[in-house]
Amino acid sequence: MHGVSTGSSTPATSACSSSCWGRSRRPTRRSLSCPRDRRHTRDRAHRAAGPPLPDHRRGAGRQGRPLARQGAAYGSGEHRRSGRSGSFVEYGRFITAAQEQRRGLAELVVETPADGIIGGTASIGGKPCAVLSYDYLVMAGTQGMRGHRKSDRLIEIIGRMRLPTVFFTEGGGGRPGDTDIPLVSALDVGSFALWGELEGVVPRIAVVSGRCFAGNAVLAGCADLRIATPDANLGMAGPAMIAGGGLGTFAPEEIGPVKDQAANGVIDVLVEDEAAAVEAVRSVLSCLEPSAESGEAVDQAALRTILPHNDREAFDVRPVVETLADHDSVIWLREAFAPELVTALARIDGIAVGVVANQSTHLAGALTSDASVKAAEFLALCDRWGLPLVSLVDTPGFMVGPEAERGGLVRHASRMVVAGAQLSTPMVGVILRRGYGLGAQAMLGGSTHRPLLTVAWPDAHLGPMGLEGAVRLSMATELAAMPEAEREERVATLTEEYRKQASALNAARVFEIDDVIDPAETRAVVAATLRRAMAGGRS
């Protein structure tokens, strides 16, 4: 894992001295013109497209961290210009920054190759894709006008070819100083709208390492999924723009650090370094591949004893997910954001799925505003990517009360319900333990009959709200007239009676759910249902 560099802070050139990048860790002019450093630039894209680099091609620190151009050539097999086979087809490799009115052509060729953005089509795991990467060695990865023309061209090609896309977005945002193209505001640049239009058309993954500010951050934010390294900073403006707006002076490291952007849900996957980010990209893209005939998993009998005997005792739901899933197939998303809800990509018997599950170790698995947002956005992702959904329910409902409502709970909770109701991919619901109230309904697309199949484990209970709360509400008048000691004893007795009424078997008897199953059968039942649904093209 590499942390924030504390290396030289060479002043920026005049071309980007007023950019959003601010006080950058940019390499010196000497390193910018060094062919060896330039050769590293393609490493990002090519590493995404091919096998891991051997140790001698990996940089240990910030300066040596692989970049876009060389990686695209190496990782995809070999550079297409070398005469050997390879998958990366680069676009616009000869363009330079639009600054010929103020700098010599030879200087621009050396200092601004490809105008700081590498991109093209490639193959990852044998599947066609596109890979783009800003080059932080070219004016801090800032966005030039010719670079925008290149990215616009590539994004348009991506849409026409329907290519899943990986975008390494490190950089400082818009670049002042491009003199060859008449400009007033440059607000007519089409890159952001074109990239946004691809939502629901192709899967888009952003990889963020280092500083990613302004327009570069918008490109990352518009992607379907963001993978980041610990040294990443994401912000809608960098230090220079913040200071220019009179909002204070900040070091780049203070703006949108990983600890903040993971906790607020901006970052989906946090990895150790850029090499791990590339592996995460490949794992995510593998979820888009057709279902395998089968997959291997641990002994499913473990599910029979995985829950605590006391249904008031919290338990970590992640081992349940990992037991159901194929070996080493689970990719956890947004772990630090709204931890009361777990979201993941996985495979179950070879079928790529999205998994959403209540996490009782946090707030007893109650759905907060943040959890509702997390669920709604995850359901939308599964819908765009055509992934079936498996919902594992163990919730007392939505987290309610005055404080909860101040966070916009009505709006966010309703958004979750709408996302589930509009889901066009198959869903299977499994009630593990508690399925109470509107929260349980939201976990199941709005109704226990919304999924293609809703089953429960034998010890599960369902109800319009928490059982004790339902007793206290329905018996409020009678309980108020009792002495306190007698009242609590009566509540306990009535709650236990209600627990029998609210059992999963009773819910199945009146057909509120489809079945009660042996926990060890869950994986087989889920897989069989999803295979039949996908074979028939139905959701």
Side-chain angles (χ1 to χ4, degrees), residues 156-223:
E156 188 258 343
I157 292 294
I158 288 165
R160 286 163 60 185
M161 296 177 69
R162 294 295 194 269
L163 296 176
T165 302
V166 182
F167 207 147
F168 294 81
T169 58
E170 178 182 14
R175 179 202 309 156
D178 281 7
T179 56
D180 301 350
I181 300 173
L183 293 174
V184 174
S185 68
L187 298 182
D188 58 340
V189 164
S191 304
F192 308 113
L194 292 170
W195 182 239
E197 281 182 341
L198 289 182
E199 181 173 283
V201 178
V202 299
R204 299 160 305 146
I205 301 170
V207 178
V208 185
S209 54
R211 298 169 187 168
C212 180
F213 295 141
N216 295 61
V218 170
L219 292 172
C222 288

Side-chain angles (χ1 to χ4, degrees), residues 463-496:
M465 61 187 298
L467 302 184
E468 182 178 321
V471 167
R472 291 185 182 277
L473 182 62
S474 63
M475 300 292 291
T477 302
E478 293 87 339
L479 292 172
M482 295 179 182
E484 184 173 351
E486 184 180 341
R487 180 191 311 147
E488 293 309 309
E489 183 179 348
R490 182 63 173 159
V491 167
T493 300
L494 292 173
T495 300
E496 188 57 35

Side-chain angles (χ1 to χ4, degrees), residues 28-210:
T28 62
R29 175 177 292 274
R30 180 178 180 183
S31 70
L32 282 172
S33 61
C34 173
R36 184 170 180 271
D37 284 335
R38 281 278 153 63
R39 190 170 62 246
H40 282 298
T41 304
R42 284 193 174 85
D43 273 350
R44 280 178 174 162
H46 289 266
R47 286 175 69 186
L53 294 175
D55 290 340
H56 74 278
R57 296 293 294 275
R58 297 175 183 163
R62 172 74 176 161
Q63 289 292 327
R65 198 178 59 208
L67 307 177
R69 183 177 282 119
Q70 179 67 18
Y74 182 86
S76 59
E78 276 298 335
H79 201 298
R80 61 180 173 81
R81 298 195 296 270
S82 70
R84 290 171 285 181
S85 61
S87 76
F88 188 66
V89 177
E90 186 175 347
Y91 285 60
R93 60 191 170 107
F94 290 117
I95 70 170
T96 57
Q99 297 182 6
E100 292 177 36
Q101 295 183 29
R102 52 193 293 265
R103 303 172 70 178
L105 179 58
E107 179 186 2
L108 291 173
V109 168
V110 172
E111 298 292 337
T112 68
D115 201 19
I117 180 170
I118 310 304
T121 62
S123 294
I124 295 179
K127 305 297 181 182
C129 67
V131 184
L132 298 90
S133 177
Y134 284 101
D135 183 352
Y136 66 75
L137 292 182
V138 177
M139 290 183 278
T142 50
Q143 298 168 334
M145 296 310 296
R146 287 180 181 156
H148 270 303
R149 289 183 62 191
K150 182 198 290 192
S151 61
D152 291 356
R153 165 73 168 156
L154 279 165
I155 293 169
E156 188 258 343
I157 292 294
I158 288 165
R160 286 163 60 185
M161 296 177 69
R162 294 295 194 269
L163 296 176
T165 302
V166 182
F167 207 147
F168 294 81
T169 58
E170 178 182 14
R175 179 202 309 156
D178 281 7
T179 56
D180 301 350
I181 300 173
L183 293 174
V184 174
S185 68
L187 298 182
D188 58 340
V189 164
S191 304
F192 308 113
L194 292 170
W195 182 239
E197 281 182 341
L198 289 182
E199 181 173 283
V201 178
V202 299
R204 299 160 305 146
I205 301 170
V207 178
V208 185
S209 54

Side-chain angles (χ1 to χ4, degrees), residues 282-326:
R282 293 181 187 171
S283 295
V284 171
L285 289 179
S286 72
C287 293
L288 305 176
E289 297 175 6
S291 299
E293 291 186 3
S294 64
E296 297 297 323
V298 301
D299 185 355
Q300 296 298 290
L303 293 174
R304 292 178 180 144
T305 56
I306 203 166
L307 302 187
H309 179 71
N310 180 357
D311 64 6
R312 288 174 174 264
E313 182 181 340
F315 73 97
D316 188 351
V317 77
R318 290 173 296 181
V320 176
V321 177
E322 291 169 339
T323 301
L324 287 170
D326 296 353

Side-chain angles (χ1 to χ4, degrees), residues 250-462:
F250 300 92
E253 293 80 9
E254 297 179 86
I255 304 167
V258 160
K259 64 180 179 62
D260 293 342
Q261 301 291 23
N264 65 23
V266 169
I267 293 172
D268 294 283
V269 180
L270 182 61
V271 296
E272 290 185 354
D273 52 32
E274 208 166 69
V278 169
E279 292 307 310
V281 166
R282 293 181 187 171
S283 295
V284 171
L285 289 179
S286 72
C287 293
L288 305 176
E289 297 175 6
S291 299
E293 291 186 3
S294 64
E296 297 297 323
V298 301
D299 185 355
Q300 296 298 290
L303 293 174
R304 292 178 180 144
T305 56
I306 203 166
L307 302 187
H309 179 71
N310 180 357
D311 64 6
R312 288 174 174 264
E313 182 181 340
F315 73 97
D316 188 351
V317 77
R318 290 173 296 181
V320 176
V321 177
E322 291 169 339
T323 301
L324 287 170
D326 296 353
H327 288 304
D328 299 324
S329 72
V330 179
I331 304 169
W332 303 109
L333 304 181
R334 297 189 180 183
E335 289 188 89
F337 175 57
E340 60 273 16
L341 187 81
V342 167
T343 52
L345 303 176
R347 283 188 179 268
I348 295 180
D349 197 33
I351 304 169
V353 298
V355 180
V356 59
N358 304 110
Q359 178 61 289
S360 63
T361 58
H362 293 269
L363 302 175
L367 292 167
T368 60
S369 287
D370 281 350
S372 299
V373 170
K374 182 177 181 178
E377 293 180 351
F378 181 68
L379 265 59
L381 174 70
C382 291
D383 204 37
R384 290 195 301 272
W385 286 10
L387 294 175
L389 186 78
V390 178
S391 180
L392 305 179
V393 183
D394 177 30
T395 182
F398 285 105
M399 177 63 74
V400 295
E403 187 61 33
E405 300 302 345
R406 291 188 189 101
L409 179 62
V410 170
R411 176 163 50 91
H412 299 310
S414 301
R415 179 183 172 194
M416 178 181 174
V417 172
V418 170
Q422 293 182 339
L423 191 68
S424 63
T425 59
M427 178 196 291
V428 174
V430 183
I431 303 169
L432 303 180
R433 190 169 62 164
R434 300 164 301 157
Y436 297 150
L438 290 168
Q441 286 181 283
M443 288 291 294
L444 297 167
S447 164
T448 55
H449 286 168
R450 192 70 183 183
L452 291 180
L453 180 71
T454 300
V455 298
W457 286 3
D459 292 332
H461 294 86
L462 293 81

